[in-house]
Amino acid sequence: MLFYILLFLGIVSLWWHWRARDRTKVTNLAGKYIFITGCDTGFGNMAAKVFDKKGFRVFASCLTETGAKELKAVTSKQLQTVLLDVRDSDSVKKVAARVKAEVQSEGLWGLVNNAGIMGPSAPTDWLDIEHFREPIEVNLIGLINVTINMLPLIKKAKGRIVNVSSVGGRLAFSGGGYFPSKFGVEGFNDSLRRDMKAFGVKVCCIQPGLFKTALSNPEKIMKEKEVIWNNLPPDIKKQYGEEYFQKALQMQQRNKSCPRSVLTRTFHQLFSAWSMP
């Protein structure tokens, strides 16, 4: 008898949790406005395509005209591409004004801060300040600037923000500006989430590992490292030894990457639910 009572309670509990989860989901997603940065390639490009197919009204920002043209050729007429360099404050303000004019009183339902670069990845004493500056300008300052300019529209729609950080925002694997920039994204995401809670705006952070995108191209990473190596002072080269590159190359070749589609599904799951962390 006790077994049947426990079984019944278990079934009721599962049903209750399923109903509670179902009530947190947003219905009528089609037609809602989403802004995505970094759509030339990689995660942003695939996310723009997926959301476009789902019926969202996507603003896909691209750094290059080529990227915008190629994306527009394979998406619906509803998707709009905009040229945006997140490092340029004037560019960010102009794009925000264009989005505001389009969404009007409806506001912006979603923002995906995806734009990012790797920058040189090498031991710290190989690098100068400029090697650190660019990834931080794009990955952190640019992300903050886009968010600040889009926040009034997000608040109007009681929308959601997804900041793309990295596993490198939790653990730094090498020198360079990429990892400090992603640690900064984590801090900004935490403070923003608390600030926006009172306004009904959901804020979350994705921390991808190693995925197959241009960002993690091992040949590109090794080429950049080799250029820096060739310009190092002789004493630094002597300290590391000529065999360093062979070991680094072998380690890079062992790295495995996951398909981008895994992360794109995560984007959609986060955007489809109210109960984002």
Side-chain angles (χ1 to χ4, degrees), residues 103-212:
V103 303
Q104 298 185 16
S105 61
E106 186 173 338
L108 188 63
W109 192 77
L111 169 64
V112 179
N113 280 312
N114 165 75
I117 62 171
M118 184 73 181
S121 178
T124 302
D125 54 351
W126 293 20
L127 306 172
D128 59 36
I129 192 61
E130 295 305 320
H131 291 129
F132 285 84
R133 192 183 305 278
E134 190 173 15
I136 292 173
E137 285 286 345
V138 175
N139 302 348
L140 178 57
I141 303 301
L143 180 149
I144 294 173
N145 199 10
V146 170
T147 302
I148 289 172
N149 280 273
M150 295 295 179
L151 265 182
L153 304 177
I154 294 285
K155 289 165 71 176
K156 185 175 290 186
K158 293 188 176 181
R160 58 265 291 108
I161 299 170
V162 177
N163 293 316
V164 181
S165 177
S166 168
V167 67
R170 299 179 65 88
L171 180 66
F173 301 104
S174 69
Y178 179 80
F179 298 100
S181 73
K182 292 302 184 179
F183 271 75
V185 169
E186 298 283 340
F188 175 70
N189 188 84
D190 285 350
S191 61
L192 180 66
R193 183 176 66 247
R194 291 181 175 88
D195 292 342
M196 291 298 105
K197 184 177 181 181
F199 300 97
V201 173
K202 308 295 183 178
V203 180
C204 71
C205 193
I206 294 178
Q207 300 168 331
L210 191 61
F211 285 75
K212 289 181 179 178

